[in-house]
Amino acid sequence: MEAPYLDGYEIRRLLGAGGCGSVFLAADGDGGLFAVKIFDGMAVQRSLLARMTARLGEGGWPDGVMPVVHADFDSRPALRVTPWLAAGSPDADEIPADLSLQSSLGEHPGEKSWPLVRALARALAGMHERRVAHGNLKPGNVFLSETGGVLLTDWTLGNMPGVGRFDFTDAVLYQAPEQLRDPSGYADEAGYKWDVFAFGTLAYRILTGNFPRCHETFSLVAPEPGEIRRTGIHADYSKIAENLWEQPDVGWPDEPKNELEAGFRKWISTCLELDSLRRPATMLEVVAGFDAVEKEVAAGHERERLLDQRRRAERRAWRAFFAAGIFAAATLVLGSLWQLASSQLQREKTERKTEKETLTHKAEVAVAARAVTEAEAQGAKLTLEYEKEVATNRLVASRTIGDHLFKWAMEKGNRQLPPLDGREQRLKRLENYFKDFLTRTATLGALDDLRAQARLQLAEIALSTGETAEAGRLLDEALAAWDGKPMDGDLKMRIATDKMRLGLLRQADGDPATVATFQDVRKALAEVPEADADIDRLRQLTAILDFKEAKLLTSGGKDGKALEQLLNATETLNDLVAERPDSAVLRSELAACYLSSASILEGMGLLGDAREARAEAMKKLVEMLKKTPDDFRLRLELAGCYGSMAETAVLAGDISGADGLSKEAMKLLEKLAAEQPDNSEVATRMAAQLGLAAGLLRDRGQGAEALKAFDQGIRMLEGARAAKPGDMMVAYRLSLLWWQKGRTLGTSGKRDEEIRLLTDARLLLTTLEGTSTSSGGGPPAEQIQRSTAYLLGDLGHVLQLSKQIDDARKAFTGAHEYWKLLLASRKGSEEYIEGEAWCRQRIEELK
């Protein structure tokens, strides 16, 4: 191939050619050496390659990824410049043998194999953290450093969506079955799990020298160590996938050398699962698993060290005991000698005893009388202390019983106690009783601890009645009363729980003090001593706190931090559910975590991960419904899961999947509507599914049927809105159906009707945006603004077609302002960047 011209670089010579293009050695003006890759236009997907390269380079290149010095994917031909890594003379005839993993495969398995696997895992995890899947992993694309690190290159090349020509490379020997069958899945973010499978295959080969499956066939077509590729091979990729499925299980040729290697092998075997649902979601999960294994093994070694230390201490104690025995024997001998001398002295004393008896008789009588007096006094003292102890125990028992009855009166459904009726009246009587007690004992200092407990009980009464401001004031007074007094683990747990309840009330009221309250709750939970606490309850409260704080973070636009909090809560609740599978409360909290995670993932554009999260929520809801099949709320949540997954499937282009999920949602909702015809939430979700079904009908060309479905959904939402005018979610869904119906009418030429409905929808969204709050029960403000931006773009387009140029310009300008606002809150969002650019272009066209 003729050497290309590249401004600023001197092309020295051709280094080699592959399926996607050729690589040249080049030097810049300062003598620095670089590798220039010239791409074959038919063998690459330019826009995908450019987008993924830009993501990786944003904010500095991740460790373990080959940095790109310069790239131009729009030129003809497209090219990329990377550093030249080879040592030695740049004029050598061949690339040095130690440049890539392909060249050094013959050294494995060996001492460097496990460090290489760990470095490879961390490098791929770094790419996944930047939301980039490699998709083309093979030994020739892994470069090695002298320190044992790796540099990954040639991402998103080869078997990728939109590639016009793909020649066989050994990368297909490492690819997952689903990538071999349909590479277009990369666009739906399936590439992360492809990388997990490819990592497992490459790691297995590094550690054993063989492919985990189809070794006899794959070894015939794989390049030998030192060779770059084999030419002249034509492969049926679907057949390769079928052959992989014929060997579902993967075994290891020998036993692991230690516990650490056994744990690492288990994770690699999980990466090699043919079913993508059973594989880790990303390499970040695999690296975390490796780290967890390492920590667990280290902890085991520390336990063994401590046990050895204890055994040595026991042996030293035994030797000390033996020495003490010898000392006691010596003491006994010396004591015998002393006794002999003492007997001689005693004979002399006996001779004088008679002389002393007369003198000491009176003294003995006096001593006896004194002893009697002291015994009587001691008896009186013991009697007094006993009576005091009895009285104290009775007082403690009385307080314990009273506190137990207080909890009984407070709880609607305590697990250990039967329910009591007339709760509101009981709470009012309790409140009056404790207020009267505080008034009557105000001057009695001996009852300070009882008054502190009464103040805490008053605060808990206010929490139970939902009086947020009063509860906060009384809880502050109670904590001030307890300041300086000893508190056991149960009391600390009780106070932490009360603070949590106060935080939940403030969150429901949209109180700005919620953030500070949750921080106080986390501090209070950390102060509860684990030795005195119900550990499961402590972990559950911490998980609930993570969940509730995540909602605040989401409303503030901090989706990444919110997702991290939810993942922590989900992991804790999963562990608790495994330990207590009969707890419906834990399963309900876990399902809520999955649903919140799914909403955040959808907002971040991770539709595949969001769908998996909703699937997990569905599984937990179904498990709970097995025990309570008539639970209305659970069935409503399950219907919501089906509906949300259907909407996600539409966005992902899975029309058949969306249709099936939507029908499942409608089956449940129709039964729920029959049970509670006036439930606005049921009506809202049914209307959403009618809108989705209408959209599918419209896309199939069934316009009349689509309009009927839209009208049915609109009637349901208008009825629900009339019943609950303040329900923001009902209003939001209604605006979306007006919008969708208008688009459908526009396709049939009824542009005036389309403009009217789009205008009505836009006005309703504007009203919602002005009243949206984090706790208002409606969609977040960002979601409303995003919908408004898209709607104004559609409105501007139809106004332009109707020759209403001034109004069209206003609509596009409004949409542009919304996209700029959204982009300011979430910098780097590709969706917001493209939306802003599209509107700017339309405004320019109308000038």
Side-chain angles (χ1 to χ4, degrees):
M1 178 178 182
E2 182 180 350
Y5 170 76
L6 182 58
D7 188 24
Y9 293 90
E10 174 194 352
I11 303 299
R12 295 279 183 89
R13 60 187 176 86
L14 177 67
L15 294 174
C20 297
S22 303
V23 182
F24 294 85
L25 177 65
D28 63 5
D30 297 326
L33 298 178
F34 299 89
V36 179
K37 186 154 190 172
I38 306 298
F39 293 104
D40 182 345
M42 291 293 291
V44 297
Q45 220 277 46
R46 292 170 181 266
S47 61
L48 178 65
L49 188 57
R51 192 163 64 252
M52 296 301 108
T53 301
R55 282 186 186 177
L56 286 173
E58 185 177 357
W61 291 88
D63 291 339
V65 177
M66 177 77 76
V68 175
V69 178
H70 171 71
D72 187 351
F73 299 113
D74 295 325
S75 64
R76 295 292 188 274
L79 58 89
R80 181 190 66 201
V81 181
T82 58
W84 169 251
L85 300 180
S89 171
D91 298 322
D93 293 336
E94 296 181 355
I95 300 174
D98 60 349
L99 189 60
S100 73
L101 174 58
Q102 177 61 38
S103 301
S104 59
L105 270 178
E107 301 175 9
H108 300 283
E111 293 181 359
K112 298 181 179 180
S113 296
W114 273 115
L116 174 59
V117 169
R118 296 294 302 276
L120 182 61
R122 287 191 295 270
L124 284 169
M127 293 187 68
H128 289 189
E129 190 173 19
R130 295 289 183 89
R131 297 182 298 115
V132 176
H134 192 290
N136 189 36
L137 189 64
K138 62 177 182 175
N141 291 340
V142 180
F143 287 80
L144 307 177
S145 69
E146 295 179 356
T147 60
V150 300
L151 284 176
L152 303 181
T153 186
D154 284 356
W155 50 84
T156 61
L157 297 178
N159 195 15
M160 289 283 109
V163 171
R165 184 179 73 247
F166 173 48
D167 297 330
F168 174 85
T169 72
D170 58 315
V172 302
L173 306 180
Y174 300 88
Q175 289 176 358
E178 63 268 24
Q179 182 180 6
L180 293 168
R181 290 191 176 115
D182 182 14
S184 64
Y186 186 95
D188 296 330
E189 302 187 359
Y192 301 123
K193 291 196 174 186
W194 296 354
D195 283 357
V196 170
F197 184 88
F199 164 76
T201 304
L202 183 53
Y204 188 96
R205 192 178 182 200
I206 291 170
L207 296 170
T208 66
N210 295 334
F211 287 94
R213 297 181 177 92
C214 306
H215 175 68
E216 291 78 6
T217 305
F218 284 5
S219 60
L220 294 175
V221 296
E224 293 292 334
E227 296 182 2
I228 301 301
R229 63 196 300 260
R230 286 194 175 181
T231 58
I233 297 175
H234 301 281
D236 184 341
Y237 304 128
S238 296
K239 182 63 176 176
I240 295 175
E242 291 176 10
N243 291 340
L244 290 173
W245 274 103
E246 290 176 0
Q247 299 182 33
D249 298 324
V250 172
W252 292 83
D254 54 9
E255 293 297 322
K257 297 181 178 62
N258 49 50
E259 294 181 16
L260 186 63
E261 183 170 325
F264 288 166
R265 282 189 180 186
K266 185 176 179 181
W267 271 98
I268 292 173
S269 296
T270 305
C271 295
L272 289 169
E273 290 283 355
L274 293 172
D275 185 353
S276 63
L277 294 177
R278 300 177 65 179
R279 271 181 242 144
T282 69
M283 285 302 299
L284 291 166
E285 184 178 346
V286 177
V287 170
F290 280 173
D291 292 343
V293 169
E294 206 164 35
K295 289 179 182 177
E296 183 177 353
V297 172
H301 290 165
E302 179 64 15
R303 285 195 297 271
E304 285 300 320
R305 186 187 68 79
L306 292 175
L307 287 173
D308 287 343
Q309 185 177 356
R310 179 177 177 181
R311 295 186 193 106
R312 290 193 297 271
E314 289 174 349
R315 287 195 294 269
R316 288 195 297 270
W318 183 85
R319 289 195 294 268
F321 178 77
F322 181 73
I326 294 175
F327 177 76
T331 303
L332 182 61
V333 172
L334 294 174
S336 299
L337 296 174
W338 178 84
Q339 184 65 30
L340 180 60
S342 178
S343 63
Q344 294 174 352
L345 180 61
Q346 186 65 33
R347 283 195 299 271
E348 294 178 5
K349 289 182 178 180
T350 303
E351 294 174 358
R352 295 174 176 82
K353 183 176 181 181
T354 304
E355 298 176 3
K356 295 181 180 179
E357 285 180 353
T358 303
L359 298 173
T360 59
H361 178 69
K362 292 182 179 180
E364 290 175 354
V365 172
V367 169
R370 181 180 177 184
V372 171
T373 304
E374 288 180 350
E376 290 175 352
Q378 184 66 21
K381 181 179 179 181
L382 290 174
T383 301
L384 182 61
E385 288 179 352
Y386 173 77
E387 291 176 352
K388 181 180 178 181
E389 183 178 357
V390 170
T392 301
N393 289 337
R394 285 178 177 172
L395 179 60
V396 171
S398 176
R399 289 175 58 183
T400 302
I401 293 171
D403 196 47
H404 196 183
L405 290 173
F406 171 79
K407 292 179 181 178
W408 191 5
M410 292 288 293
E411 292 295 333
K412 292 182 179 179
N414 193 300
R415 287 185 299 177
Q416 289 82 23
L417 298 169
L420 296 174
D421 296 326
R423 185 168 184 269
E424 290 76 12
Q425 185 177 2
R426 283 186 287 109
L427 289 176
K428 191 63 179 176
R429 288 180 178 177
L430 282 170
E431 182 182 18
N432 293 334
Y433 169 78
F434 288 119
K435 285 182 176 179
D436 182 62
F437 173 79
L438 290 174
T439 302
R440 290 175 180 273
T441 62
T443 59
L444 300 178
L447 298 179
D448 281 349
D449 58 340
L450 290 177
R451 280 200 300 276
Q453 183 172 351
R455 292 186 187 281
L456 183 60
Q457 289 166 324
L458 275 174
E460 289 171 342
I461 291 171
L463 288 171
S464 294
T465 55
E467 301 172 15
T468 309
E470 182 68 6
R473 183 184 67 79
L474 290 172
L475 189 56
D476 287 341
E477 290 182 0
L479 294 176
W482 277 105
D483 188 28
K485 293 181 172 60
M487 290 192 287
D488 58 14
D490 288 340
L491 181 58
K492 288 183 177 180
M493 173 67 91
R494 180 175 177 176
I495 290 174
T497 305
D498 290 341
K499 289 182 176 181
M500 171 78 83
R501 294 170 64 189
L502 177 62
L504 297 180
L505 287 176
R506 284 176 171 169
Q507 186 178 36
D509 295 341
D511 191 334
T514 305
V515 175
T517 305
F518 280 160
Q519 291 173 350
D520 195 23
V521 173
R522 193 171 295 281
K523 180 181 178 182
L525 290 173
E527 292 175 352
V528 177
E530 293 188 0
D532 301 335
D534 180 347
I535 298 300
D536 287 350
R537 178 61 175 161
L538 188 61
R539 293 166 62 197
Q540 182 184 357
L541 287 177
T542 304
I544 293 171
L545 178 61
D546 286 337
F547 173 43
K548 297 299 182 181
E549 280 188 332
K551 286 193 171 185
L552 291 177
L553 291 168
T554 303
S555 64
K558 301 177 180 178
D559 288 348
K561 179 64 175 175
L563 185 60
E564 180 183 348
Q565 293 263 104
L566 283 170
L567 292 178
N568 289 335
T570 302
E571 182 179 0
T572 301
L573 290 172
N574 262 320
D575 292 342
L576 290 173
V577 168
E579 296 167 8
R580 293 174 52 190
D582 60 328
S583 176
V585 173
L586 290 173
R587 291 188 186 278
S588 177
E589 292 168 351
L590 181 55
C593 281
Y594 277 123
L595 292 173
S596 295
S597 299
S599 299
I600 293 175
L601 289 164
E602 285 175 349
M604 297 171 71
L606 304 177
L607 301 180
D609 291 343
R611 192 167 182 175
E612 288 185 12
R614 291 197 185 278
E616 288 295 327
M618 285 170 55
K619 184 164 65 176
K620 300 304 174 187
L621 292 171
V622 169
E623 289 174 358
M624 286 188 283
L625 280 170
K626 289 179 181 177
K627 294 187 177 181
T628 55
D630 297 327
D631 191 307
F632 185 90
R633 192 70 214 174
L634 287 181
R635 288 183 289 155
L636 182 59
E637 289 296 337
L638 182 59
C641 281
Y642 279 123
S644 297
M645 289 181 69
E647 293 173 354
T648 303
V650 168
L651 293 175
D654 183 6
I655 303 303
S656 61
D659 193 24
L661 290 166
S662 181
K663 289 178 180 177
E664 290 294 330
M666 284 299 292
K667 287 179 185 177
L668 285 169
L669 291 169
E670 286 171 355
K671 292 179 181 178
L672 295 172
E675 295 174 19
Q676 295 187 15
D678 297 329
N679 190 303
S680 62
E681 192 170 358
V682 174
T684 301
R685 296 190 178 185
M686 286 187 70
Q689 294 310 304
L690 286 168
L692 188 145
L696 296 177
L697 290 169
R698 178 192 60 205
D699 294 342
R700 293 172 184 152
Q702 298 172 268
E705 291 82 354
L707 287 174
K708 289 180 181 178
F710 279 131
D711 288 337
Q712 184 182 355
I714 289 171
R715 284 195 300 271
M716 293 180 68
L717 288 177
E718 288 175 340
R721 191 184 181 201
K724 286 189 175 182
D727 194 321
M728 293 179 61
M729 187 55 73
V730 171
Y732 178 68
R733 287 291 183 185
L734 180 59
S735 68
L736 296 186
L737 285 192
W738 283 347
W739 179 8
Q740 291 176 279
K741 180 183 176 182
R743 292 291 309 278
T744 304
L745 289 169
T747 57
S748 60
K750 299 178 180 179
R751 288 180 181 160
D752 290 341
E753 283 293 305
E754 180 182 9
I755 292 172
R756 181 183 65 79
L757 285 170
L758 264 62
T759 302
D760 290 346
R762 188 259 186 280
L763 292 174
L764 184 51
L765 286 176
T766 302
T767 303
L768 291 175
E769 184 184 355
T771 58
S772 176
T773 64
S774 60
S775 59
E782 182 179 356
Q783 183 177 345
I784 297 174
Q785 292 168 355
R786 178 174 170 271
S787 298
T788 305
Y790 277 120
L791 187 149
L792 283 171
D794 285 350
L795 180 59
H797 180 68
V798 69
L799 287 169
Q800 184 180 6
L801 293 176
S802 301
K803 307 301 182 183
Q804 302 178 39
I805 303 303
D806 289 341
D807 290 339
R809 187 183 298 109
K810 291 178 182 178
F812 284 134
T813 302
H816 185 247
E817 292 299 321
Y818 272 103
W819 285 123
K820 288 198 299 183
L821 179 65
L822 290 165
L823 194 56
S825 65
R826 199 186 297 276
K827 296 179 181 178
S829 168
E830 294 182 12
E831 178 187 12
Y832 296 170
I833 291 172
E834 292 174 0
E836 188 273 338
W838 184 83
C839 288
R840 183 162 21 89
Q841 182 181 353
R842 294 298 175 275
I843 295 170
E844 290 293 329
E845 291 174 354
L846 293 177
K847 285 184 177 179

